[in-house]
Amino acid sequence: MLTIPFEEHDMMCEPPFGASFPRENIGEQRKQDILHPVPDDTSHSETKDTEDENSEREEDERDVCHDDNEHPKRRGPRKKTGRAERVKVRRHEANARERSRMHGLNDALEGLRKVVPCYSKTQKLSKIETLRLAKNYIWALSETLSAGKRPDLLSFVQTLCKGLSQPTTNLVAGCLQLNARNFVTDHNGEVAFSGRPTYDVLYPYQSSDMGTPTSHSTGTIDGTKTFRPYNYQGPYEPFYEGASPEGGSPHFEGPLSPAMNFNGIFSLKHEDPAEYGKNCHYGMRYCGVPTRGALAQNSMYRMSPDNQFPYDLHLRSQSIQDEINAPFHN
DNA sequence: TAGGCCATCTGGTCCT
DNA sequence: AGGACCAGATGGCCTA
């Protein structure tokens, strides 16, 4: 606890150490101190803690103490103490830099949280889970691109949840409107699906019957839908034969495709509406929102018959929606 | 209360 | 010398 303000250093530049000297460089507070000096006796009642707190300024003040001829004042035995204080000052500065650095790191991590499939302001992913999910997400998207066809949702989710804790798995599944109870993370971090397939719920428009939607995106997995038997040999399976997100990068045949704009591929189910559109260009439950260039005739992303996104699309603005819909009106 | 997560401090190492 | 980066230690907070 401070017992006195930072006035102790005055003694270093005033008698008996030397005569008066120019004070052009002192701050406003310093000037105030000069105008309203602290009684001398207070400096003698200073505690050790106070000395520590004052050390930084004291050291700086010593450095600028000069006599009228600009010669450094004699510091005598205080020099050793000053060196120690200098070290302490540097330590404080290093601590501040370290804090700042970690804040920057955390800011970047927060940015990462906002672009991985599951983001919630109220239920934040931990740092490690954010990194794991991001890695899995990149992996899953890479697999999708390399497979060149619509991803199998459950495989996709399994990939996303690989190595994640059960709570995070639940959160991801919840964000995708899947029944979290159906995804169980075992002790190896593998995610097993133990429920009914939800394929049709989230892929209402099959490639073979694009014009005959079988369900609506807002359907629930427990609803009375006609489910297509889940095929675990999804597009990722070949890559999981000895490979996984825990291993190396997926094998790509031929040149890598330019990254598609998957920003906002998943909805932010737990996010406040106000934040919903702010963090993603296009928020949706489960639907890639390719950019103009990415959406081709053979796109893996299926459209409803009226060329509108079938998956409960939430757009940040009408202009964005227009931008998305534009390619499909051509 | 134990365990997980986090922020912060701290000392060491490497680099400029 | 000083800054960036890293990892270990520590204590606080929260939750099951």
Side-chain angles (χ1 to χ4, degrees):
Chain A
M1 183 176 115
L2 287 173
T3 55
I4 61 169
F6 297 118
E7 278 79 30
E8 175 62 12
H9 54 272
D10 282 356
M11 62 181 291
M12 299 301 298
C13 297
E14 292 176 359
F17 295 94
S20 61
F21 59 93
R23 295 173 182 263
E24 292 87 351
N25 294 330
I26 55 179
E28 279 306 311
Q29 181 59 50
R30 183 77 177 87
K31 291 174 182 173
Q32 287 295 319
D33 294 343
I34 294 170
L35 289 173
H36 307 286
V38 178
D40 287 342
D41 54 349
T42 60
S43 64
H44 300 296
S45 61
E46 191 178 16
T47 64
K48 184 179 183 308
D49 285 346
T50 307
E51 247 177 78
D52 291 343
E53 295 292 339
N54 290 343
S55 62
E56 184 171 344
R57 181 180 294 200
E58 186 177 328
E59 177 64 17
D60 290 344
E61 197 71 25
R62 273 194 214 109
D63 289 342
V64 298
C65 283
H66 297 82
D67 58 21
D68 290 338
N69 296 325
E70 291 298 319
H71 292 144
K73 293 179 180 176
R74 292 169 56 190
R75 296 172 187 176
R78 279 186 171 271
K79 194 166 186 177
K80 188 174 183 180
T81 304
R83 195 174 297 123
E85 297 297 340
R86 186 68 184 165
V87 169
K88 196 175 293 181
V89 169
R90 289 221 310 273
R91 187 65 260 173
H92 287 322
E93 291 171 349
N95 289 346
R97 284 194 302 272
E98 178 66 8
R99 276 197 303 274
S100 175
R101 193 182 70 87
M102 293 308 296
H103 289 165
L105 196 59
N106 289 337
D107 288 345
L109 204 54
E110 184 61 25
L112 187 59
R113 282 192 184 99
K114 292 177 180 177
V115 297
V116 294
C118 192
Y119 175 71
S120 167
K121 278 186 73 177
T122 56
Q123 191 177 351
K124 273 173 56 174
L125 291 176
S126 69
K127 294 180 176 180
I128 185 67
E129 293 290 89
T130 299
L131 292 175
R132 285 173 178 151
L133 180 57
K135 181 197 68 178
N136 291 349
Y137 189 36
I138 292 169
W139 179 273
L141 293 179
S142 299
E143 298 291 345
T144 301
L145 286 175
S146 61
K149 56 183 179 180
R150 186 176 52 182
D152 181 296
L153 174 64
L154 293 179
S155 293
F156 198 94
V157 174
Q158 283 180 308
T159 304
L160 284 182
C161 298
K162 208 174 184 67
L164 301 183
S165 67
Q166 186 63 56
T168 305
T169 298
N170 294 344
L171 192 59
V172 172
C175 282
L176 300 180
Q177 296 218 323
L178 299 175
N179 190 337
R181 291 172 300 180
N182 292 335
F183 291 90
V184 180
T185 305
D186 65 17
H187 63 281
N188 290 324
E190 299 292 331
V191 181
F193 176 73
S194 60
R196 290 198 303 173
T198 62
Y199 194 97
D200 284 359
V201 174
L202 289 127
Y203 289 104
Y205 305 109
Q206 303 300 314
S207 57
S208 58
D209 55 359
M210 283 284 289
T212 57
T214 56
S215 66
H216 196 269
S217 63
T218 55
T220 63
I221 115 172
D222 295 326
T224 55
K225 310 291 184 188
T226 301
F227 291 100
R228 194 190 69 163
Y230 177 62
N231 176 14
Y232 277 94
Q233 297 301 314
Y236 315 113
E237 294 305 317
F239 297 97
Y240 293 161
E241 202 65 35
S244 76
E246 297 301 325
S249 299
H251 173 70
F252 288 97
E253 297 290 340
L256 289 173
S257 303
M260 295 171 66
N261 180 10
F262 281 94
N263 195 11
I265 189 172
F266 291 107
S267 76
L268 314 178
K269 186 183 177 184
H270 302 281
E271 190 176 14
D272 296 338
E275 293 290 322
Y276 197 96
K278 194 161 63 179
N279 299 313
C280 284
H281 292 310
Y282 321 113
M284 51 202 337
R285 291 246 160 67
Y286 179 77
C287 178
V289 186
T291 57
R292 290 171 197 267
L295 256 176
Q297 285 283 6
N298 296 327
S299 170
M300 69 187 79
Y301 302 96
R302 307 303 173 191
M303 306 304 301
S304 61
D306 57 352
N307 280 348
Q308 297 295 324
F309 285 105
Y311 305 127
D312 196 13
L313 182 62
H314 300 271
L315 298 177
R316 184 163 54 179
S317 68
Q318 185 59 44
S319 61
I320 293 174
Q321 184 167 19
D322 292 342
E323 179 184 349
I324 293 174
N325 289 331
F328 315 119
H329 290 299
N330 295 332

